[in-house]
Structures are given as structure tokens and as C-alpha cells.
Amino acid sequence: MTPIQKCIVEKKSNLNPIWLMRQAGRYLPEFREIRSKNQDFIKLCLSENLASEITLQPIERFNFDAAIIFSDILMLPYGLNQKVEFEKNFGPKLGNLNLDDLKNIDEVDFSFKLNSVYKAINITSNKINRDEKDLIGFVGAPWTILVYMINKISPKKKLKEDFFKDEFLINRLLSIIDKFLKIHIKNQVEAGATIIQIFDSWAGLLENNIPEYIYIPTLSLVEYTKSLGVPVICFPRGIKDYKNFCDIVKPSAVNIDYDIDPKDIVKNIDIPIQGGLDPKILLQDEDTLEKETKKYLNIFKDHPYIFNLGHGIQPQTKIEMVEKLVKTVRSFN
Ligand code: CP3
């Protein structure tokens, strides 16, 4: 069993496995080199050999305990025939939504469109030592996918007032999203993903109706993933009440964000915990990094804990700082 599986399944503490959210990406010079020759980001995600190579880059460099497949949460709307583009220094831009088009998509069309993602997982799965390392597949949570499909760009701090105006559209979309996220999860697991992480990057935007848009739709995916025999890690970024989230949604593990006090969490939540360290700490000096890293390791020393960040690693992060982080975690006892 891998260290992460021991931590999640057997609830062992003191193992401190480590991987980093967004580890396969922009801060790595070897990624930037591939990216500079591949302007179309979606096409790059769908080039199975390159996607697998990028997935393994951070493993080769830092020997992390898990690889996370190089893909994107927005492959879901792409698979549903909504246009998805990534503009430099801006982020994602989605095309118009047409419910009639969405209704015509079936499981076969969808899986065919995303087939290269599954092939990339399969190629990667055959290249890693599966007794030692996990291969993480992932999806966006229904709420975050809904936000992107309706808002079409990353929201700022608040949703537009008319976001919820078309109740019929929202309800139809949520049911389509649930169906195809499950297909996407199943395909990733069948291709070799050993853990699924659900990214709810915009959970913090919601103040009301959290059961309706977060708990219930996420619970549906968590139960489905568990039924496939695979652990599921949730990251409800910015949600106020992590304890309530865990009590209701019952993920196999939960990733906390950097606004959360880890001391409160360790007292109140008994499922395995992942993450927490503010990715901006990696932009400071080595001593601060060591101190902050040890703070998390000490707080979680008697709790099943997977070391990770409280959000994705920043693009400006220096390689030496990641090396320092890994060394601090690996030598802690
Ligand atoms: O973790 C990994 O390294 C695996 C790959 C991965 C990507 N996106 C690749 C990517 C993962 C797990 C994601 C998740 C993702 N994508 C999230 C959830 C996590 C989070 O950060 O909150 C979200 C909200 C997205 C949507 C998305 N994709 C945005 C907002 C952007 C632009 C800004 C950004 O974060 O880079 C992307 C593009 C994207 N996805 C890049 C990468 C490596 C950058 C592409 C580039 O080189 O321009």
C-alpha cells in the first residue's frame, strides 16, 4: 500500500506523504519549455504522451508521493461541447451555453472526446511504481463547474447578481454536470487513477444555499467515487464550516485552505487531512518556509496527514524552495 493510501485508508499518522496542488505546471522550467511549443492548452491536455510526460516532471524532480494527471477541471465543459479557451494573462474563457446542444450529448460522445485524458492516465499509471505512488485523477466540484459554465470566466470576489436568475437552467445544468462528472470519474479510475480529488475552487463564493449547491451535489460524487473502491479527497476552498462539510459529505480526506486555523481543524475533524500551508510562504525565505512547514507537521503529528498546500503552487515559486519544503517534510519526525 502507498503512504497516501495508508494515511487515508488505514488512518496512520506520522507518515507525512507529500504532493502539491498544481505541481505539474507553470513554475517548472521543463513544463514551460513544452508549453512554449504548444500554444493551445486544451490540445496539450489532449496530447497523451506530452500530458503524461508533464505529469511525471514533478515526480522526477521532487519524488513526490503522488502524481496528479496533467489536465484541467474545464475539460468537463469542453467534453460537453462548450467552447473553452485559455487566454494568456487572463485565464479561461468559455463560449455560449446551449442547453439543446448539451441534451444531445451521450456518454459515448463525451468519453470519446476526452479519450486522450484517459490514455494519458493509463500511460502514466504504467510508468509509476504503483506500490509506492498514487496517481490522482480529478474533477471540479459541481458548483465550481456550474460557476464556470454560466459565468464563462473566473469570477472575481463576488458572483454577478443575476447569476441565479434562470432557475431552470441551473437545475438542468446541475443534473447534466452530475451525470458527466460521474462518467469522467469512472473513466479516470478505469484508466488507472488510484485517488480522485474534487476541486471546489469557488465554494467560498456562496453564502447561502450551501446544502443545495455544495453539500448535496458533492455528496453524490463522493458516494459514487467510494462505490468504485477509490478514496476521494475534497477541497472546498474558502468554505466557512469545514467540520459541517466533512460531517455531511464524508470525503475520505479533506484538503484545508490556508485561511483555516489548523489547530481548530485537528481538534474538530477526525478524517484524514491534507494541505493548509499558504503557497505564498514558498515565495519568502527558507527559514520562514521551514518554520511554517514544521508548524503544520507538529500540529498534525498524531493525525493522518498528507502534506500539501492551502491552494495551488504559485507560478513564481523557485525550484529551490520546493526542494527545501520536500526536505523539511521528509526529515521530520
Ligand atoms: O495540479 C496539477 O498540476 C495538474 C493539473 C491541473 C491544472 N489545472 C493545469 C493547468 C489541475 C489540477 C487544475 C485544476 C484547476 N483548473 C482548478 C482547480 C484548482 C485551483 O487552482 O483552484 C481551476 C479553478 C482550474 C481552471 C483554470 N485552468 C484556470 C483558472 C486557469 C488559468 C490560471 C491558472 O491557474 O493557471 C487554468 C489553466 C491551467 N490549468 C494551467 C495549468 C498548468 C496554466 C496553463 C498555462 O500554461 O497558461
Side-chain angles (χ1 to χ4, degrees):
M1 210 186 257
T2 65
I4 295 183
Q5 298 277 348
K6 276 187 198 150
C7 183
I8 297 181
V9 179
E10 294 178 350
K11 306 215 168 27
K12 288 225 164 85
S13 51
N14 251 310
L15 293 168
N16 302 324
I18 174 171
W19 69 280
L20 302 181
M21 288 195 283
R22 311 296 295 270
Q23 67 188 17
R26 301 165 301 176
Y27 70 108
L28 284 178
E30 56 272 38
F31 167 74
R32 281 205 222 103
E33 202 189 314
I34 294 181
R35 180 75 169 105
S36 69
K37 296 184 209 132
N38 294 272
Q39 292 303 317
D40 184 334
F41 181 73
I42 295 270
K43 230 167 129 189
L44 181 56
C45 291
L46 293 174
S47 310
E48 57 258 25
N49 289 311
L50 284 175
S52 172
E53 187 183 333
I54 296 169
T55 301
L56 292 170
Q57 284 174 345
I59 309 305
E60 276 147 26
R61 232 185 222 278
F62 307 114
N63 194 26
F64 288 130
D65 292 286
I68 178 161
I69 191 66
F70 180 75
S71 178
D72 199 88
I73 63 166
L74 298 178
M75 295 312 279
L76 189 101
Y78 172 83
L80 294 175
N81 289 341
Q82 188 175 12
K83 198 169 162 191
V84 180
E85 287 174 332
F86 291 85
E87 208 176 280
K88 221 177 172 176
N89 305 323
F90 180 80
K93 271 193 176 167
L94 281 73
N96 285 337
L97 246 184
N98 183 337
L99 261 190
D100 292 330
D101 290 349
L102 291 190
K103 275 189 266 183
N104 293 328
I105 295 169
D106 64 15
E107 175 166 352
V108 178
D109 298 335
F110 175 86
S111 300
F112 182 74
K113 228 180 147 186
L114 297 188
N115 195 248
S116 301
V117 175
Y118 313 130
K119 279 197 196 150
I121 291 177
N122 197 252
I123 294 168
T124 313
S125 161
N126 288 322
K127 285 190 177 166
I128 59 175
N129 181 346
R130 276 165 287 175
D131 295 330
E132 279 175 16
K133 295 197 192 295
D134 280 283
L135 177 55
I136 300 177
F138 67 92
V139 292
W143 164 249
T144 286
I145 297 296
L146 183 76
V147 166
Y148 275 111
M149 288 181 82
I150 291 184
N151 204 55
K152 304 194 185 74
I153 56 172
S154 295
K156 300 264 155 25
K157 296 218 155 59
K158 262 175 111 172
L159 283 173
K160 293 197 199 92
E161 262 153 44
D162 64 356
F163 182 86
F164 293 102
K165 79 168 187 282
D166 191 343
E167 220 174 293
F168 177 74
L169 175 74
I170 290 201
N171 283 317
R172 282 294 297 144
L173 269 181
L174 276 177
S175 111
I176 293 169
I177 289 169
D178 177 72
K179 173 177 166 188
F180 286 96
L181 282 177
K182 285 176 181 162
I183 295 168
H184 196 36
I185 289 172
K186 181 182 81 189
N187 290 341
Q188 293 185 70
V189 169
E190 283 175 355
T194 58
I195 293 177
I196 294 291
Q197 176 146 326
I198 302 178
F199 287 92
D200 210 347
S201 306
W202 298 112
L205 285 181
L206 264 184
E207 289 182 7
N208 305 308
N209 302 336
I210 291 177
E212 188 180 350
Y213 294 112
I214 297 195
Y215 296 163
I216 295 167
T218 311
L219 176 63
S220 169
L221 296 187
V222 164
E223 287 181 338
Y224 179 73
T225 310
K226 286 181 180 170
S227 80
L228 302 175
V230 166
V232 50
I233 306 173
C234 284
F235 179 34
R237 179 167 77 100
I239 206 162
K240 310 260 159 0
D241 194 341
Y242 267 85
K243 177 168 165 47
N244 208 26
F245 176 90
C246 291
D247 286 348
I248 294 169
V249 178
K250 299 188 176 63
S252 317
V254 69
N255 196 107
I256 53 172
D257 62 74
Y258 53 84
D259 281 332
I260 292 296
D261 183 350
K263 286 199 191 105
D264 272 356
I265 288 286
V266 78
K267 263 190 270 158
N268 294 323
I269 292 184
D270 37 59
I271 66 171
I273 290 168
Q274 171 176 283
L277 182 77
D278 189 340
K280 287 188 227 57
I281 301 284
L282 282 156
L283 307 178
Q284 301 188 20
D285 57 281
E286 289 203 0
D287 289 348
T288 311
L289 175 63
E290 182 171 344
K291 199 176 114 227
E292 287 296 311
T293 302
K294 285 186 173 160
K295 183 182 100 184
Y296 278 90
L297 291 167
N298 273 315
I299 290 171
F300 291 110
K301 104 178 144 0
D302 300 316
H303 196 99
Y305 184 60
I306 303 162
F307 200 93
N308 204 319
L309 306 174
H311 194 201
I313 185 165
Q314 303 256 343
Q316 321 85 292
T317 307
K318 293 205 182 77
I319 300 296
E320 304 84 75
M321 293 300 274
V322 182
E323 283 167 352
K324 171 77 186 172
L325 170 66
V326 173
K327 214 168 130 192
T328 308
V329 175
R330 295 266 188 240
S331 60
F332 182 84
N333 54 42

CSV table of all heavy atoms in Angstrom, one decimal, residues 20-52:
chain,number,residue,atom,x,y,z
A,20,LEU,N,1.9,18.3,-4.2
A,20,LEU,CA,1.5,19.7,-4.1
A,20,LEU,C,0.4,20.0,-5.2
A,20,LEU,O,0.5,19.6,-6.3
A,20,LEU,CB,2.6,20.7,-4.4
A,20,LEU,CG,3.8,20.6,-3.4
A,20,LEU,CD1,4.9,21.6,-3.8
A,20,LEU,CD2,3.4,20.8,-2.0
A,21,MET,N,-0.6,20.7,-4.8
A,21,MET,CA,-1.7,21.1,-5.7
A,21,MET,C,-1.0,22.0,-6.8
A,21,MET,O,-0.3,22.9,-6.5
A,21,MET,CB,-2.8,21.8,-5.0
A,21,MET,CG,-3.6,20.8,-4.2
A,21,MET,SD,-5.2,21.5,-3.7
A,21,MET,CE,-4.7,22.6,-2.4
A,22,ARG,N,-1.4,21.7,-8.1
A,22,ARG,CA,-0.9,22.3,-9.3
A,22,ARG,C,0.6,22.1,-9.4
A,22,ARG,O,1.4,22.9,-10.0
A,22,ARG,CB,-1.2,23.8,-9.3
A,22,ARG,CG,-2.6,24.1,-9.0
A,22,ARG,CD,-3.6,23.6,-10.0
A,22,ARG,NE,-3.4,24.2,-11.3
A,22,ARG,CZ,-4.0,25.3,-11.7
A,22,ARG,NH1,-4.9,25.9,-10.9
A,22,ARG,NH2,-3.8,25.8,-12.9
A,23,GLN,N,1.1,20.9,-9.0
A,23,GLN,CA,2.5,20.6,-9.0
A,23,GLN,C,3.1,20.5,-10.4
A,23,GLN,O,4.2,20.7,-10.7
A,23,GLN,CB,2.9,19.4,-8.2
A,23,GLN,CG,2.3,18.1,-8.8
A,23,GLN,CD,2.5,16.9,-7.8
A,23,GLN,OE1,2.7,17.0,-6.7
A,23,GLN,NE2,2.3,15.7,-8.4
A,24,ALA,N,2.2,20.1,-11.4
A,24,ALA,CA,2.6,19.9,-12.7
A,24,ALA,C,2.3,21.1,-13.5
A,24,ALA,O,1.2,21.2,-14.2
A,24,ALA,CB,1.9,18.7,-13.3
A,25,GLY,N,3.1,22.1,-13.5
A,25,GLY,CA,2.7,23.3,-14.2
A,25,GLY,C,3.8,24.4,-14.3
A,25,GLY,O,4.9,24.2,-14.3
A,26,ARG,N,3.2,25.6,-14.2
A,26,ARG,CA,3.9,26.8,-14.7
A,26,ARG,C,5.2,27.1,-14.0
A,26,ARG,O,6.0,27.9,-14.6
A,26,ARG,CB,3.0,28.0,-14.6
A,26,ARG,CG,1.7,27.8,-15.4
A,26,ARG,CD,0.7,28.8,-14.9
A,26,ARG,NE,0.4,28.7,-13.5
A,26,ARG,CZ,-0.4,29.5,-12.8
A,26,ARG,NH1,-1.0,30.5,-13.4
A,26,ARG,NH2,-0.6,29.3,-11.6
A,27,TYR,N,5.5,26.7,-12.8
A,27,TYR,CA,6.7,27.1,-12.1
A,27,TYR,C,7.9,26.2,-12.6
A,27,TYR,O,9.0,26.4,-12.2
A,27,TYR,CB,6.5,27.0,-10.6
A,27,TYR,CG,6.4,25.5,-10.1
A,27,TYR,CD1,7.5,24.9,-9.4
A,27,TYR,CD2,5.3,24.8,-10.4
A,27,TYR,CE1,7.4,23.6,-9.0
A,27,TYR,CE2,5.2,23.5,-10.0
A,27,TYR,CZ,6.2,22.9,-9.4
A,27,TYR,OH,6.2,21.6,-9.0
A,28,LEU,N,7.6,25.1,-13.3
A,28,LEU,CA,8.7,24.2,-13.7
A,28,LEU,C,9.2,24.6,-15.1
A,28,LEU,O,8.5,24.7,-16.1
A,28,LEU,CB,8.1,22.8,-13.8
A,28,LEU,CG,7.9,22.0,-12.6
A,28,LEU,CD1,7.3,20.6,-12.9
A,28,LEU,CD2,9.2,21.8,-11.8
A,29,PRO,N,10.5,24.9,-15.2
A,29,PRO,CA,11.1,25.2,-16.5
A,29,PRO,C,10.9,24.2,-17.6
A,29,PRO,O,10.6,24.5,-18.7
A,29,PRO,CB,12.6,25.4,-16.2
A,29,PRO,CG,12.8,25.0,-14.8
A,29,PRO,CD,11.5,24.9,-14.1
A,30,GLU,N,10.9,22.9,-17.2
A,30,GLU,CA,10.7,21.9,-18.2
A,30,GLU,C,9.3,21.9,-18.7
A,30,GLU,O,9.0,21.5,-19.8
A,30,GLU,CB,11.2,20.5,-17.7
A,30,GLU,CG,10.5,20.0,-16.4
A,30,GLU,CD,11.3,20.4,-15.1
A,30,GLU,OE1,11.8,21.6,-15.1
A,30,GLU,OE2,11.3,19.7,-14.2
A,31,PHE,N,8.3,22.3,-17.8
A,31,PHE,CA,7.0,22.5,-18.3
A,31,PHE,C,6.9,23.6,-19.3
A,31,PHE,O,6.3,23.6,-20.4
A,31,PHE,CB,6.0,22.7,-17.2
A,31,PHE,CG,4.6,23.2,-17.7
A,31,PHE,CD1,3.7,22.3,-18.3
A,31,PHE,CD2,4.2,24.5,-17.5
A,31,PHE,CE1,2.5,22.7,-18.8
A,31,PHE,CE2,3.0,24.9,-18.0
A,31,PHE,CZ,2.1,24.0,-18.6
A,32,ARG,N,7.5,24.8,-18.9
A,32,ARG,CA,7.4,26.0,-19.7
A,32,ARG,C,8.0,25.7,-21.1
A,32,ARG,O,7.5,26.3,-22.1
A,32,ARG,CB,8.1,27.1,-19.0
A,32,ARG,CG,7.3,27.7,-18.0
A,32,ARG,CD,7.6,29.2,-17.7
A,32,ARG,NE,7.6,29.4,-16.2
A,32,ARG,CZ,8.7,29.4,-15.5
A,32,ARG,NH1,9.9,29.4,-16.1
A,32,ARG,NH2,8.6,29.6,-14.2
A,33,GLU,N,9.0,24.9,-21.2
A,33,GLU,CA,9.6,24.6,-22.5
A,33,GLU,C,8.5,23.9,-23.4
A,33,GLU,O,8.3,24.3,-24.5
A,33,GLU,CB,10.8,23.8,-22.3
A,33,GLU,CG,11.7,23.9,-23.5
A,33,GLU,CD,12.9,22.9,-23.4
A,33,GLU,OE1,13.5,22.8,-22.3
A,33,GLU,OE2,13.1,22.2,-24.5
A,34,ILE,N,7.9,22.9,-22.8
A,34,ILE,CA,6.9,22.2,-23.6
A,34,ILE,C,5.7,23.1,-24.0
A,34,ILE,O,5.3,23.2,-25.1
A,34,ILE,CB,6.3,20.9,-22.8
A,34,ILE,CG1,7.4,19.9,-22.6
A,34,ILE,CG2,5.1,20.3,-23.5
A,34,ILE,CD1,7.0,18.7,-21.9
A,35,ARG,N,5.3,23.9,-23.0
A,35,ARG,CA,4.2,24.8,-23.2
A,35,ARG,C,4.5,25.9,-24.3
A,35,ARG,O,3.6,26.2,-25.0
A,35,ARG,CB,3.9,25.5,-21.8
A,35,ARG,CG,2.7,26.5,-21.9
A,35,ARG,CD,1.4,25.8,-21.9
A,35,ARG,NE,0.3,26.8,-21.6
A,35,ARG,CZ,-0.5,27.2,-22.6
A,35,ARG,NH1,-0.4,26.8,-23.8
A,35,ARG,NH2,-1.5,28.1,-22.2
A,36,SER,N,5.7,26.3,-24.3
A,36,SER,CA,6.1,27.4,-25.3
A,36,SER,C,5.9,26.8,-26.8
A,36,SER,O,5.6,27.6,-27.7
A,36,SER,CB,7.5,27.9,-25.1
A,36,SER,OG,8.4,26.9,-25.4
A,37,LYS,N,6.0,25.5,-26.9
A,37,LYS,CA,5.9,24.9,-28.2
A,37,LYS,C,4.4,24.5,-28.5
A,37,LYS,O,4.1,23.9,-29.5
A,37,LYS,CB,6.8,23.7,-28.4
A,37,LYS,CG,8.3,24.1,-28.3
A,37,LYS,CD,9.1,22.9,-28.6
A,37,LYS,CE,10.5,23.0,-27.9
A,37,LYS,NZ,10.8,21.8,-27.1
A,38,ASN,N,3.6,24.6,-27.5
A,38,ASN,CA,2.2,24.1,-27.6
A,38,ASN,C,1.2,25.2,-27.1
A,38,ASN,O,0.9,25.3,-25.9
A,38,ASN,CB,2.0,22.9,-26.8
A,38,ASN,CG,2.8,21.7,-27.3
A,38,ASN,OD1,2.3,21.0,-28.2
A,38,ASN,ND2,4.0,21.5,-26.8
A,39,GLN,N,0.9,26.1,-28.0
A,39,GLN,CA,0.1,27.3,-27.6
A,39,GLN,C,-1.3,26.9,-27.2
A,39,GLN,O,-1.9,27.6,-26.3
A,39,GLN,CB,0.0,28.3,-28.8
A,39,GLN,CG,1.4,28.9,-29.1
A,39,GLN,CD,2.0,29.7,-27.9
A,39,GLN,OE1,1.3,30.4,-27.2
A,39,GLN,NE2,3.3,29.5,-27.6
A,40,ASP,N,-1.9,25.9,-27.7
A,40,ASP,CA,-3.3,25.5,-27.4
A,40,ASP,C,-3.3,24.6,-26.2
A,40,ASP,O,-2.9,23.4,-26.3
A,40,ASP,CB,-3.9,24.9,-28.7
A,40,ASP,CG,-5.3,24.5,-28.5
A,40,ASP,OD1,-5.8,24.4,-27.3
A,40,ASP,OD2,-6.0,24.4,-29.5
A,41,PHE,N,-3.7,25.2,-25.1
A,41,PHE,CA,-3.7,24.4,-23.8
A,41,PHE,C,-4.5,23.2,-23.8
A,41,PHE,O,-4.1,22.1,-23.3
A,41,PHE,CB,-4.1,25.4,-22.7
A,41,PHE,CG,-4.1,24.7,-21.3
A,41,PHE,CD1,-2.9,24.5,-20.7
A,41,PHE,CD2,-5.2,24.4,-20.7
A,41,PHE,CE1,-2.8,23.8,-19.4
A,41,PHE,CE2,-5.2,23.7,-19.4
A,41,PHE,CZ,-4.0,23.5,-18.8
A,42,ILE,N,-5.7,23.3,-24.3
A,42,ILE,CA,-6.6,22.1,-24.4
A,42,ILE,C,-6.0,21.0,-25.2
A,42,ILE,O,-6.0,19.8,-24.9
A,42,ILE,CB,-8.0,22.5,-25.0
A,42,ILE,CG1,-8.7,23.5,-24.1
A,42,ILE,CG2,-8.9,21.2,-25.3
A,42,ILE,CD1,-9.6,22.9,-23.1
A,43,LYS,N,-5.4,21.4,-26.4
A,43,LYS,CA,-4.8,20.4,-27.2
A,43,LYS,C,-3.6,19.7,-26.5
A,43,LYS,O,-3.4,18.5,-26.7
A,43,LYS,CB,-4.3,21.1,-28.5
A,43,LYS,CG,-4.7,20.4,-29.8
A,43,LYS,CD,-4.4,21.3,-30.9
A,43,LYS,CE,-3.6,20.6,-32.0
A,43,LYS,NZ,-3.2,21.5,-33.1
A,44,LEU,N,-2.9,20.5,-25.7
A,44,LEU,CA,-1.8,20.0,-24.9
A,44,LEU,C,-2.3,18.9,-23.9
A,44,LEU,O,-1.8,17.8,-23.8
A,44,LEU,CB,-1.0,21.1,-24.2
A,44,LEU,CG,0.2,20.7,-23.4
A,44,LEU,CD1,1.2,19.9,-24.2
A,44,LEU,CD2,0.8,21.9,-22.8
A,45,CYS,N,-3.4,19.3,-23.2
A,45,CYS,CA,-4.1,18.3,-22.3
A,45,CYS,C,-4.5,17.0,-23.0
A,45,CYS,O,-4.5,16.0,-22.5
A,45,CYS,CB,-5.3,18.9,-21.6
A,45,CYS,SG,-4.9,20.2,-20.5
A,46,LEU,N,-4.8,17.2,-24.3
A,46,LEU,CA,-5.3,16.0,-25.1
A,46,LEU,C,-4.1,15.3,-25.9
A,46,LEU,O,-4.4,14.5,-26.7
A,46,LEU,CB,-6.4,16.4,-26.0
A,46,LEU,CG,-7.7,16.9,-25.3
A,46,LEU,CD1,-8.7,17.4,-26.3
A,46,LEU,CD2,-8.3,15.7,-24.5
A,47,SER,N,-2.9,15.7,-25.6
A,47,SER,CA,-1.8,15.0,-26.3
A,47,SER,C,-1.3,14.0,-25.2
A,47,SER,O,-0.5,14.4,-24.3
A,47,SER,CB,-0.7,16.0,-26.6
A,47,SER,OG,-1.2,17.1,-27.4
A,48,GLU,N,-1.7,12.8,-25.4
A,48,GLU,CA,-1.5,11.9,-24.2
A,48,GLU,C,0.0,11.7,-23.8
A,48,GLU,O,0.3,11.6,-22.6
A,48,GLU,CB,-2.2,10.5,-24.5
A,48,GLU,CG,-1.8,9.8,-25.7
A,48,GLU,CD,-2.8,9.9,-26.8
A,48,GLU,OE1,-3.5,10.9,-26.8
A,48,GLU,OE2,-2.8,9.0,-27.7
A,49,ASN,N,0.9,11.6,-24.8
A,49,ASN,CA,2.3,11.4,-24.4
A,49,ASN,C,2.9,12.6,-23.7
A,49,ASN,O,3.6,12.5,-22.7
A,49,ASN,CB,3.1,11.0,-25.6
A,49,ASN,CG,2.7,9.6,-26.1
A,49,ASN,OD1,2.7,8.7,-25.2
A,49,ASN,ND2,2.4,9.5,-27.3
A,50,LEU,N,2.6,13.8,-24.2
A,50,LEU,CA,3.1,15.0,-23.6
A,50,LEU,C,2.4,15.2,-22.2
A,50,LEU,O,3.1,15.6,-21.2
A,50,LEU,CB,2.8,16.3,-24.4
A,50,LEU,CG,3.7,16.5,-25.6
A,50,LEU,CD1,3.2,17.6,-26.5
A,50,LEU,CD2,5.1,16.7,-25.2
A,51,ALA,N,1.1,15.0,-22.1
A,51,ALA,CA,0.4,15.1,-20.8
A,51,ALA,C,1.0,14.2,-19.8
A,51,ALA,O,1.2,14.6,-18.6
A,51,ALA,CB,-1.1,14.9,-21.0
A,52,SER,N,1.3,13.0,-20.2
A,52,SER,CA,1.9,12.0,-19.3
A,52,SER,C,3.3,12.5,-18.9
A,52,SER,O,3.7,12.4,-17.7
A,52,SER,CB,2.0,10.6,-19.9
A,52,SER,OG,2.7,9.8,-19.1
